[in-house]
Every structure is written in C-alpha cells, then in structure tokens.
Amino acid sequence: MASPEPLKEPPDFTLTLGGPLYRMLRRSHLTTPVATLLEGQTAIVVLLCWVPLAVLSWVQAHFLGGIKLSFLRDIETHVRFLVSLPVLILGEFMVDLRIRPIMRRCFERNVVDPGDLPNFYATVNTAVRIHNSVIADIVLIVFVYTGGIWIWRHQIASNVSTWYASSRGGQVHLTMAGHWLAFVGVPIFQFALLRWYMQFLVWSWLVLRVSRLKLHLPSLHPDREGGIGFVGGSSIAFAPLLFAQSALLSGQIASGILYNNASLLSSKMTILGYVFFSVVVVLAPLFSFTPQLVRAKRRGLARYGNFASGFVTEFNQKWLESNANGKSSLAGEDIQSLADLNNSFAVIRQMRFVPISADDIFLLFYVALVPFLPLLLTIMPLEQLITRAIKLTF
C-alpha cells in the first residue's frame, strides 16, 4: 500500500499565522511579512487602547490631577498598554521564528519512527485545526466580555476615586474613560493574553502527543539530548509572555509602593514565587520527553557497555597479555580506537533526561526578572544603585 501523499513533505506548523484574526487582516490587505503585520497591529492597538484613555481623562480633568489617582500617575495602566500589550503582539514573531521549524526538523532528522509518521502528521494537523478554530476565538471574545469584565470590575476598590471610576453611595461608577477602559482596552488586553495562553496549551498538547510516539533518540548524539536538543529552544518562544506578565505585576507592585504605602520587601516572595513558577510552567512540556530519553540512555549504556567490554578484552589479549607476535608495544590505531570508545561512552553518560540547556533556563529567568529591576529605585537612589553595580562588576 503506497504511503499517503502528505508524508512526502515535512509539516508546516505555526502558532502565529492563521486563525480568524489573521484571515481578516489578510482580506483587509494588512498582511505582508510577519514583522510588518505585527508592527502595524501594535500601532493600531496602542492608538485604540491608550490614546482614547488619555483624551477622555483630559476632557474630564483627570489627566494630571483633580482626583486621588490621575491618569498620568496610573503606572499599572501605562505598563499594561504601552509595555505588556505591545510585547505580547510583537512577541508573536519570536513564536513563529522558534516554533515553526521544530516540526519540520523532526521530519528532516528522522526523529519520528517511519511507522509512526502518519500519527505524527495527524497530531500536527489536529494542532493546526485547534489553532485556526473560529470557535476558540469566539469563546475567548465571549469570555473577556463577560467573565473578564466582571473580574476586572470587582478588582476596583469601592472607596477609592480614580480617573476611571468613582465611588458614590458605596457603588462604583465608571467615568467616560473608565467605560472605554472596561469595554475596549481591558478586553483587548485580556484577549491578547488569553491567545498566548491558548498557544501555549496547543504547543504543550502537541509536545505531549509527539513525545508518546515511537522516537529515534540516538544516545551517542553530540547534543547529549538524543538528537532533540533543538526542541528545547521552543521554551524561549514564550519569553515575551513571561516579560509581559512580569511587567504587569511590576506595575501593580509599583502602584502599591508609591500610592498605598507598601514596600518592595513585602512583595519579594510574590516576585520570586511568580518568577520561579512561570519559568517552571514554560519548561514543563519538555519533561514529557523524559521517559523516552531515560530509556534511550539505558539502552545506550547497556549496548555500548557490552561492546566496550568486548573491545577492551581483545585489546588486553592482543597488547598486554601476549607479546608472542613480536609487535611493538605502541598499539597505534588500537590505542586511538580505545580513546574514541571512551569519548563515545562519556557522551552517553552525560546524556540529559530533558531537552533543556542551562543557557535557556538562565535566559528565561533573566527575562522574567528584568521588569522588576526598576522597583529597586523605590528603595535605593539611582546613583547609589549604579555605584553598587560598578563595585560588584569590578
């Protein structure tokens, strides 16, 4: 029986191109290169979310003052729409750059056993269908305009007057800017954030399904990860998500420090807990390869252990236990073969159980921590902070 036609070409999988939103933009001629598309989306979103808030708060005299929390002093809002939201949109280019080649490389490098290629393609095609699902986007939109708005409104303190809401008679009343924030700005941000969560869930599901296929993981592969070290680079694709969430949390903490008499030290466990938890979550899907990598390492140690035992026995008999043939004690090529065998065995012993490099882990922690660094200015002047950094460096 002939192989199905799709198996002749490697799969093309992406988490950014496609979906109802992408098709709508394509019809409106807003799609050319991915980078250009994302830059245009970012500009439109900032104009749609942040600029009307500034204008409406100015109209109501809440831009600079006149109220406890004016628009200009609302750090959380500025971080949400001028930092986190642009990073979420522009960061999709990194997702496409990092994740798109991975499924293709699995095919090109024969990672999946030929007998399991039909299942491999079926898994990739299912992930693509989920990503392109109109229903999924509709569900997200319905949620942000129901549960999302409800959650946001219940976060507003009933006894605090701000540029977007005021309290009268124990009831919270939205200002004109508040209505735009509640029904335009916040839903757009929540939709962008939930789309990232959905992309991560789709990717996690895909990795889990692929890890259950029959994989060819040579224990002697120089990447010391069974030849799937390239999969570990997928974790960096979600660095923008970590940065955007860290920036948002940093803005919330900054507002508490500046306007609610909170302290940075009181939030240190929140910061450390978030950073550790978020990095672990991003790396978690890659642990699904651990069982197969463990088995590959055990098989490699057993097979090459038997081979090494036989080689060493023959080497001893030929060069150490008998000199009857009158050959020189310099074993020549046999010595080099013994050294090569030792190096190969060392590669197997050093084989890792998860396709994650230390550099990737460090980069994720760095990205998640960077947005919190400006908070140090709340407990230490900039000049003193720079002086200490210089002393630590030199």
Side-chain angles (χ1 to χ4, degrees):
M1 183 175 175
S3 298
E5 185 69 20
L7 301 185
K8 294 181 180 180
E9 294 292 336
D12 186 17
F13 174 73
T14 175
L15 283 174
T16 54
L17 304 182
L21 181 60
Y22 178 78
R23 291 195 294 269
M24 179 185 70
L25 292 172
R26 185 161 192 155
R27 291 193 206 100
S28 61
H29 306 288
L30 288 177
T31 62
T32 43
V34 177
T36 303
L37 166 64
L38 296 178
E39 290 171 1
Q41 285 183 355
T42 303
I44 292 172
V45 165
V46 170
L47 289 173
L48 190 62
C49 293
W50 187 85
V51 173
L53 299 180
V55 172
L56 291 173
S57 62
W58 182 277
V59 169
Q60 293 191 291
H62 296 159
F63 186 83
L64 294 173
I67 205 163
K68 183 175 182 179
L69 180 62
S70 64
F71 176 77
L72 194 61
R73 299 175 62 202
D74 192 347
I75 298 174
E76 183 180 345
T77 294
H78 303 318
V79 170
R80 183 193 301 270
F81 295 120
L82 298 181
V83 178
S84 293
L85 186 55
V87 166
L88 290 176
I89 298 174
L90 293 174
E92 293 193 359
F93 181 72
M94 183 177 291
V95 175
D96 190 63
L97 192 66
R98 285 277 179 171
I99 291 201
R100 193 168 193 174
I102 289 179
M103 294 298 109
R104 181 176 294 268
R105 287 175 184 168
C106 286
F107 179 90
E108 295 171 345
R109 301 183 185 184
N110 299 315
V111 172
V112 181
D113 185 88
D116 246 354
L117 278 178
N119 293 329
F120 174 65
Y121 269 84
T123 299
V124 173
N125 291 334
T126 300
V128 171
R129 284 197 301 271
I130 295 173
H131 168 61
N132 291 335
S133 171
V134 177
I135 296 177
D137 275 3
I138 291 176
V139 169
L140 293 184
I141 292 172
V142 170
F143 175 78
V144 299
Y145 275 101
T146 54
I149 293 178
W150 182 85
I151 292 172
W152 177 80
R153 290 201 61 156
H154 280 73
Q155 290 178 339
I156 302 175
S158 59
N159 59 345
V160 177
S161 294
T162 66
W163 61 272
Y164 57 84
S166 60
S167 176
R168 293 194 300 272
Q171 300 256 344
V172 175
H173 299 274
L174 298 177
T175 63
M176 287 191 300
H179 278 92
W180 189 275
L181 178 66
F183 296 103
V184 179
V186 168
I188 288 177
F189 179 82
Q190 290 177 342
F191 180 81
L193 190 60
L194 289 175
R195 281 279 295 178
W196 269 85
Y197 292 158
M198 187 181 76
Q199 290 172 2
F200 178 73
L201 290 175
V202 171
W203 171 246
S204 301
W205 177 85
L206 178 60
V207 169
L208 179 61
R209 291 296 299 268
V210 170
S211 71
R212 292 179 176 177
L213 300 177
K214 188 176 181 181
L215 304 180
H216 177 59
L217 304 176
S219 54
L220 271 178
H221 198 284
D223 70 0
R224 290 168 172 77
E225 295 169 358
I228 57 172
F230 62 90
V231 178
S234 64
S235 58
I236 305 302
F238 297 97
L241 176 61
L242 298 186
F243 185 92
Q245 292 184 142
S246 292
L248 188 61
L249 179 58
S250 178
Q252 294 174 348
I253 294 174
S255 295
I257 293 172
L258 295 177
Y259 308 128
N260 295 323
N261 298 320
S263 69
L264 178 59
L265 294 178
S266 65
S267 301
K268 64 180 180 181
M269 294 308 298
T270 300
I271 295 173
L272 294 176
Y274 160 75
V275 170
F276 179 79
F277 176 77
S278 60
V279 172
V280 168
V281 169
V282 168
L283 295 176
L286 299 175
F287 282 84
S288 60
F289 290 103
T290 297
Q292 292 218 43
L293 288 172
V294 170
R295 289 194 293 269
K297 182 173 182 176
R298 287 177 177 172
R299 286 195 302 266
L301 289 173
R303 291 175 180 174
Y304 284 95
N306 293 337
F307 176 78
S309 296
F311 183 91
V312 171
T313 299
E314 291 182 11
F315 183 90
N316 288 337
Q317 291 173 350
K318 181 177 181 180
W319 297 106
L320 301 180
E321 297 177 4
S322 175
N323 288 321
N325 54 14
K327 292 184 180 180
S328 169
S329 60
L330 297 177
E333 292 182 359
D334 287 345
I335 285 288
Q336 183 60 50
S337 297
L338 185 62
D340 293 340
L341 179 63
N342 181 66
N343 292 335
S344 298
F345 206 72
V347 170
I348 302 176
R349 286 199 303 267
Q350 296 169 7
M351 186 176 176
R352 292 186 285 269
F353 295 144
V354 185
I356 302 172
S357 69
D359 290 341
D360 290 342
I361 297 175
F362 174 80
L363 182 58
L364 289 174
F365 273 106
Y366 178 79
V367 169
L369 276 171
V370 162
F372 296 105
L373 295 182
L375 295 177
L376 294 175
L377 298 176
T378 63
I379 59 176
M380 186 182 301
L382 180 60
E383 182 179 353
Q384 185 179 353
L385 190 63
I386 294 175
T387 301
R388 290 198 177 187
I390 293 174
K391 289 181 179 179
L392 288 174
T393 304
F394 299 100

CSV table of all heavy atoms in Angstrom, one decimal, residues 47-87:
chain,number,residue,atom,x,y,z
A,47,LEU,N,-3.0,52.9,19.7
A,47,LEU,CA,-3.9,54.0,19.4
A,47,LEU,C,-5.3,53.8,19.9
A,47,LEU,O,-6.0,54.7,20.3
A,47,LEU,CB,-3.9,54.3,17.9
A,47,LEU,CG,-2.6,54.9,17.3
A,47,LEU,CD1,-2.7,54.9,15.7
A,47,LEU,CD2,-2.4,56.3,17.8
A,48,LEU,N,-5.7,52.5,19.8
A,48,LEU,CA,-7.1,52.2,20.2
A,48,LEU,C,-7.3,52.1,21.7
A,48,LEU,O,-8.4,52.4,22.2
A,48,LEU,CB,-7.5,50.8,19.5
A,48,LEU,CG,-9.0,50.4,19.6
A,48,LEU,CD1,-9.8,51.4,18.9
A,48,LEU,CD2,-9.1,49.0,18.9
A,49,CYS,N,-6.3,51.6,22.4
A,49,CYS,CA,-6.4,51.4,23.8
A,49,CYS,C,-5.9,52.5,24.7
A,49,CYS,O,-6.6,52.9,25.6
A,49,CYS,CB,-5.6,50.1,24.2
A,49,CYS,SG,-6.3,48.6,23.5
A,50,TRP,N,-4.8,53.1,24.4
A,50,TRP,CA,-4.2,54.1,25.3
A,50,TRP,C,-4.6,55.5,25.0
A,50,TRP,O,-4.9,56.3,25.9
A,50,TRP,CB,-2.7,53.9,25.3
A,50,TRP,CG,-2.0,54.8,26.4
A,50,TRP,CD1,-1.8,54.5,27.7
A,50,TRP,CD2,-1.5,56.1,26.2
A,50,TRP,NE1,-1.1,55.5,28.3
A,50,TRP,CE2,-0.9,56.5,27.4
A,50,TRP,CE3,-1.4,57.0,25.1
A,50,TRP,CZ2,-0.3,57.7,27.6
A,50,TRP,CZ3,-0.8,58.2,25.3
A,50,TRP,CH2,-0.3,58.6,26.5
A,51,VAL,N,-4.5,55.9,23.7
A,51,VAL,CA,-4.8,57.3,23.3
A,51,VAL,C,-6.2,57.7,23.8
A,51,VAL,O,-6.3,58.8,24.3
A,51,VAL,CB,-4.5,57.5,21.8
A,51,VAL,CG1,-5.0,58.9,21.4
A,51,VAL,CG2,-3.1,57.2,21.5
A,52,PRO,N,-7.3,57.0,23.5
A,52,PRO,CA,-8.6,57.5,23.9
A,52,PRO,C,-8.7,57.6,25.4
A,52,PRO,O,-9.4,58.5,25.9
A,52,PRO,CB,-9.5,56.4,23.5
A,52,PRO,CG,-8.8,55.7,22.3
A,52,PRO,CD,-7.4,55.8,22.7
A,53,LEU,N,-8.0,56.8,26.2
A,53,LEU,CA,-8.0,57.0,27.7
A,53,LEU,C,-7.4,58.3,28.1
A,53,LEU,O,-7.9,59.0,29.0
A,53,LEU,CB,-7.2,55.8,28.3
A,53,LEU,CG,-7.8,54.4,28.1
A,53,LEU,CD1,-6.9,53.4,28.8
A,53,LEU,CD2,-9.2,54.3,28.5
A,54,ALA,N,-6.3,58.6,27.4
A,54,ALA,CA,-5.6,59.9,27.7
A,54,ALA,C,-6.5,61.1,27.4
A,54,ALA,O,-6.6,62.0,28.1
A,54,ALA,CB,-4.3,60.0,27.0
A,55,VAL,N,-7.1,61.0,26.2
A,55,VAL,CA,-8.0,62.1,25.7
A,55,VAL,C,-9.2,62.3,26.6
A,55,VAL,O,-9.6,63.4,27.1
A,55,VAL,CB,-8.4,61.9,24.3
A,55,VAL,CG1,-9.5,62.9,23.9
A,55,VAL,CG2,-7.2,61.9,23.3
A,56,LEU,N,-9.9,61.2,26.9
A,56,LEU,CA,-11.1,61.2,27.8
A,56,LEU,C,-10.8,61.7,29.2
A,56,LEU,O,-11.6,62.4,29.8
A,56,LEU,CB,-11.8,59.9,27.8
A,56,LEU,CG,-12.4,59.4,26.4
A,56,LEU,CD1,-12.9,58.0,26.5
A,56,LEU,CD2,-13.6,60.4,26.1
A,57,SER,N,-9.7,61.2,29.7
A,57,SER,CA,-9.3,61.6,31.1
A,57,SER,C,-8.9,63.1,31.1
A,57,SER,O,-9.2,63.8,32.1
A,57,SER,CB,-8.1,60.8,31.6
A,57,SER,OG,-7.0,61.0,30.8
A,58,TRP,N,-8.4,63.6,30.0
A,58,TRP,CA,-8.1,65.1,29.9
A,58,TRP,C,-9.4,65.9,29.8
A,58,TRP,O,-9.5,66.9,30.5
A,58,TRP,CB,-7.2,65.3,28.6
A,58,TRP,CG,-6.9,66.7,28.5
A,58,TRP,CD1,-7.6,67.7,27.9
A,58,TRP,CD2,-5.6,67.3,28.9
A,58,TRP,NE1,-6.9,68.9,27.9
A,58,TRP,CE2,-5.7,68.7,28.5
A,58,TRP,CE3,-4.5,66.9,29.5
A,58,TRP,CZ2,-4.7,69.6,28.8
A,58,TRP,CZ3,-3.4,67.7,29.8
A,58,TRP,CH2,-3.5,69.1,29.4
A,59,VAL,N,-10.4,65.4,29.1
A,59,VAL,CA,-11.6,66.0,29.0
A,59,VAL,C,-12.3,66.1,30.3
A,59,VAL,O,-12.9,67.2,30.7
A,59,VAL,CB,-12.5,65.3,28.0
A,59,VAL,CG1,-14.0,65.8,28.0
A,59,VAL,CG2,-12.0,65.4,26.6
A,60,GLN,N,-12.2,65.1,31.1
A,60,GLN,CA,-12.8,65.1,32.5
A,60,GLN,C,-11.9,65.7,33.6
A,60,GLN,O,-12.2,65.5,34.7
A,60,GLN,CB,-13.3,63.7,32.8
A,60,GLN,CG,-14.4,63.2,31.9
A,60,GLN,CD,-15.0,61.9,32.4
A,60,GLN,OE1,-14.3,60.8,32.4
A,60,GLN,NE2,-16.2,62.0,32.9
A,61,ALA,N,-10.8,66.3,33.2
A,61,ALA,CA,-9.9,66.9,34.1
A,61,ALA,C,-9.3,65.9,35.1
A,61,ALA,O,-9.0,66.2,36.2
A,61,ALA,CB,-10.6,68.0,34.9
A,62,HIS,N,-9.1,64.7,34.6
A,62,HIS,CA,-8.5,63.6,35.4
A,62,HIS,C,-7.1,63.2,34.9
A,62,HIS,O,-6.5,62.2,35.3
A,62,HIS,CB,-9.3,62.4,35.5
A,62,HIS,CG,-10.7,62.6,36.2
A,62,HIS,ND1,-11.8,61.8,36.0
A,62,HIS,CD2,-11.1,63.6,37.0
A,62,HIS,CE1,-12.8,62.3,36.7
A,62,HIS,NE2,-12.4,63.4,37.4
A,63,PHE,N,-6.5,64.0,34.0
A,63,PHE,CA,-5.3,63.6,33.3
A,63,PHE,C,-4.1,63.8,34.3
A,63,PHE,O,-3.3,63.0,34.5
A,63,PHE,CB,-5.1,64.3,32.0
A,63,PHE,CG,-3.9,63.9,31.3
A,63,PHE,CD1,-3.9,62.8,30.4
A,63,PHE,CD2,-2.7,64.6,31.3
A,63,PHE,CE1,-2.8,62.3,29.7
A,63,PHE,CE2,-1.5,64.2,30.7
A,63,PHE,CZ,-1.6,63.0,29.8
A,64,LEU,N,-4.0,65.1,34.8
A,64,LEU,CA,-2.9,65.4,35.7
A,64,LEU,C,-3.2,65.4,37.2
A,64,LEU,O,-2.4,65.2,38.0
A,64,LEU,CB,-2.4,66.8,35.3
A,64,LEU,CG,-1.8,67.0,33.9
A,64,LEU,CD1,-1.5,68.4,33.6
A,64,LEU,CD2,-0.5,66.2,33.8
A,65,GLY,N,-4.5,65.6,37.5
A,65,GLY,CA,-4.8,65.7,38.9
A,65,GLY,C,-6.3,65.8,39.1
A,65,GLY,O,-7.1,65.4,38.3
A,66,GLY,N,-6.7,66.5,40.2
A,66,GLY,CA,-8.1,66.6,40.4
A,66,GLY,C,-8.8,65.4,41.0
A,66,GLY,O,-10.0,65.4,41.3
A,67,ILE,N,-8.0,64.4,41.3
A,67,ILE,CA,-8.5,63.1,41.8
A,67,ILE,C,-7.4,62.4,42.5
A,67,ILE,O,-6.2,62.7,42.2
A,67,ILE,CB,-9.2,62.3,40.7
A,67,ILE,CG1,-10.2,61.4,41.3
A,67,ILE,CG2,-8.1,61.5,39.9
A,67,ILE,CD1,-11.2,60.8,40.2
A,68,LYS,N,-7.7,61.4,43.3
A,68,LYS,CA,-6.6,60.7,44.1
A,68,LYS,C,-5.6,60.0,43.2
A,68,LYS,O,-4.4,60.1,43.4
A,68,LYS,CB,-7.3,59.7,45.0
A,68,LYS,CG,-6.2,59.0,45.9
A,68,LYS,CD,-6.8,58.1,47.0
A,68,LYS,CE,-5.7,57.5,47.8
A,68,LYS,NZ,-6.3,56.6,48.9
A,69,LEU,N,-6.1,59.3,42.2
A,69,LEU,CA,-5.3,58.7,41.2
A,69,LEU,C,-5.6,59.2,39.8
A,69,LEU,O,-6.5,58.8,39.2
A,69,LEU,CB,-5.4,57.1,41.3
A,69,LEU,CG,-4.5,56.3,40.3
A,69,LEU,CD1,-3.1,56.5,40.6
A,69,LEU,CD2,-4.9,54.8,40.4
A,70,SER,N,-4.7,60.1,39.3
A,70,SER,CA,-5.0,60.6,38.0
A,70,SER,C,-4.4,59.7,36.9
A,70,SER,O,-3.7,58.7,37.2
A,70,SER,CB,-4.2,62.0,37.9
A,70,SER,OG,-2.8,61.8,38.0
A,71,PHE,N,-4.8,60.0,35.7
A,71,PHE,CA,-4.4,59.1,34.6
A,71,PHE,C,-2.8,59.0,34.5
A,71,PHE,O,-2.2,58.0,34.3
A,71,PHE,CB,-5.0,59.6,33.3
A,71,PHE,CG,-4.5,58.8,32.1
A,71,PHE,CD1,-5.1,57.5,31.8
A,71,PHE,CD2,-3.6,59.3,31.2
A,71,PHE,CE1,-4.6,56.8,30.7
A,71,PHE,CE2,-3.1,58.6,30.1
A,71,PHE,CZ,-3.7,57.3,29.9
A,72,LEU,N,-2.2,60.2,34.6
A,72,LEU,CA,-0.7,60.3,34.4
A,72,LEU,C,0.0,59.5,35.5
A,72,LEU,O,1.1,58.9,35.2
A,72,LEU,CB,-0.3,61.7,34.4
A,72,LEU,CG,1.1,62.0,33.9
A,72,LEU,CD1,1.3,61.5,32.5
A,72,LEU,CD2,1.5,63.4,34.1
A,73,ARG,N,-0.6,59.3,36.7
A,73,ARG,CA,0.1,58.7,37.8
A,73,ARG,C,-0.3,57.2,37.8
A,73,ARG,O,0.3,56.4,38.7
A,73,ARG,CB,-0.3,59.3,39.1
A,73,ARG,CG,0.1,60.8,39.2
A,73,ARG,CD,-0.4,61.4,40.5
A,73,ARG,NE,0.1,60.7,41.7
A,73,ARG,CZ,-0.5,60.7,42.9
A,73,ARG,NH1,-1.6,61.3,43.1
A,73,ARG,NH2,0.1,60.1,43.9
A,74,ASP,N,-1.1,56.7,36.9
A,74,ASP,CA,-1.6,55.3,37.0
A,74,ASP,C,-0.5,54.4,36.2
A,74,ASP,O,-0.6,54.2,35.0
A,74,ASP,CB,-2.9,55.1,36.3
A,74,ASP,CG,-3.5,53.8,36.6
A,74,ASP,OD1,-2.8,52.9,37.0
A,74,ASP,OD2,-4.7,53.6,36.3
A,75,ILE,N,0.5,54.0,37.0
A,75,ILE,CA,1.6,53.3,36.4
A,75,ILE,C,1.1,52.0,35.8
A,75,ILE,O,1.5,51.5,34.7
A,75,ILE,CB,2.7,53.0,37.4
A,75,ILE,CG1,3.3,54.3,38.0
A,75,ILE,CG2,3.8,52.1,36.9
A,75,ILE,CD1,4.2,54.1,39.1
A,76,GLU,N,0.2,51.3,36.5
A,76,GLU,CA,-0.3,50.0,36.0
A,76,GLU,C,-0.9,50.1,34.6
A,76,GLU,O,-0.7,49.2,33.8
A,76,GLU,CB,-1.3,49.4,37.0
A,76,GLU,CG,-1.8,48.0,36.6
A,76,GLU,CD,-2.8,47.5,37.6
A,76,GLU,OE1,-2.9,48.0,38.7
A,76,GLU,OE2,-3.4,46.5,37.3
A,77,THR,N,-1.7,51.1,34.4
A,77,THR,CA,-2.4,51.3,33.1
A,77,THR,C,-1.3,51.5,32.0
A,77,THR,O,-1.4,51.0,30.9
A,77,THR,CB,-3.4,52.4,33.2
A,77,THR,OG1,-4.4,52.1,34.0
A,77,THR,CG2,-3.9,52.7,31.8
A,78,HIS,N,-0.4,52.4,32.3
A,78,HIS,CA,0.7,52.7,31.2
A,78,HIS,C,1.5,51.4,30.9
A,78,HIS,O,1.8,51.2,29.8
A,78,HIS,CB,1.6,53.8,31.7
A,78,HIS,CG,0.8,55.1,32.1
A,78,HIS,ND1,-0.2,55.6,31.3
A,78,HIS,CD2,1.0,56.0,33.1
A,78,HIS,CE1,-0.6,56.7,31.8
A,78,HIS,NE2,0.1,56.9,32.9
A,79,VAL,N,1.8,50.7,31.9
A,79,VAL,CA,2.6,49.4,31.7
A,79,VAL,C,1.8,48.4,30.9
A,79,VAL,O,2.3,47.8,30.0
A,79,VAL,CB,3.1,48.8,33.0
A,79,VAL,CG1,3.7,47.4,32.8
A,79,VAL,CG2,4.1,49.7,33.7
A,80,ARG,N,0.5,48.3,31.3
A,80,ARG,CA,-0.4,47.4,30.6
A,80,ARG,C,-0.5,47.6,29.1
A,80,ARG,O,-0.3,46.7,28.3
A,80,ARG,CB,-1.8,47.4,31.2
A,80,ARG,CG,-2.8,46.4,30.6
A,80,ARG,CD,-4.2,46.8,31.0
A,80,ARG,NE,-4.3,46.8,32.5
A,80,ARG,CZ,-4.7,45.7,33.2
A,80,ARG,NH1,-4.9,44.6,32.6
A,80,ARG,NH2,-4.8,45.8,34.5
A,81,PHE,N,-0.7,48.9,28.7
A,81,PHE,CA,-1.0,49.2,27.3
A,81,PHE,C,0.3,49.7,26.5
A,81,PHE,O,0.2,49.6,25.3
A,81,PHE,CB,-2.1,50.3,27.2
A,81,PHE,CG,-3.4,49.8,27.7
A,81,PHE,CD1,-4.0,50.4,28.8
A,81,PHE,CD2,-4.0,48.6,27.2
A,81,PHE,CE1,-5.3,50.0,29.3
A,81,PHE,CE2,-5.2,48.2,27.7
A,81,PHE,CZ,-5.8,48.8,28.7
A,82,LEU,N,1.3,50.2,27.2
A,82,LEU,CA,2.5,50.7,26.5
A,82,LEU,C,3.7,49.7,26.5
A,82,LEU,O,4.6,49.9,25.8
A,82,LEU,CB,2.9,52.1,27.0
A,82,LEU,CG,1.8,53.2,26.9
A,82,LEU,CD1,2.4,54.5,27.4
A,82,LEU,CD2,1.4,53.3,25.4
A,83,VAL,N,3.6,48.7,27.4
A,83,VAL,CA,4.7,47.8,27.6
A,83,VAL,C,4.2,46.3,27.3
A,83,VAL,O,4.6,45.7,26.4
A,83,VAL,CB,5.4,47.9,28.9
A,83,VAL,CG1,6.5,46.8,29.0
A,83,VAL,CG2,5.9,49.3,29.2
A,84,SER,N,3.3,45.9,28.2
A,84,SER,CA,2.9,44.5,28.1
A,84,SER,C,2.2,44.1,26.8
A,84,SER,O,2.5,43.1,26.2
A,84,SER,CB,2.0,44.1,29.3
A,84,SER,OG,2.8,44.2,30.5
A,85,LEU,N,1.2,45.0,26.5
A,85,LEU,CA,0.4,44.7,25.3
A,85,LEU,C,1.3,44.7,24.0
A,85,LEU,O,1.2,43.8,23.2
A,85,LEU,CB,-0.8,45.6,25.2
A,85,LEU,CG,-1.8,45.3,24.0
A,85,LEU,CD1,-2.3,43.9,24.1
A,85,LEU,CD2,-2.9,46.3,24.1
A,86,PRO,N,2.1,45.7,23.8
A,86,PRO,CA,3.0,45.7,22.6
A,86,PRO,C,3.9,44.5,22.6
A,86,PRO,O,4.2,43.9,21.5
A,86,PRO,CB,3.8,47.0,22.7
A,86,PRO,CG,2.9,47.9,23.4
A,86,PRO,CD,2.2,47.0,24.4
A,87,VAL,N,4.4,44.1,23.8
A,87,VAL,CA,5.3,42.9,23.8
A,87,VAL,C,4.6,41.6,23.5
A,87,VAL,O,5.1,40.8,22.7
A,87,VAL,CB,5.9,42.8,25.2
A,87,VAL,CG1,6.6,41.4,25.4
A,87,VAL,CG2,7.0,43.9,25.5
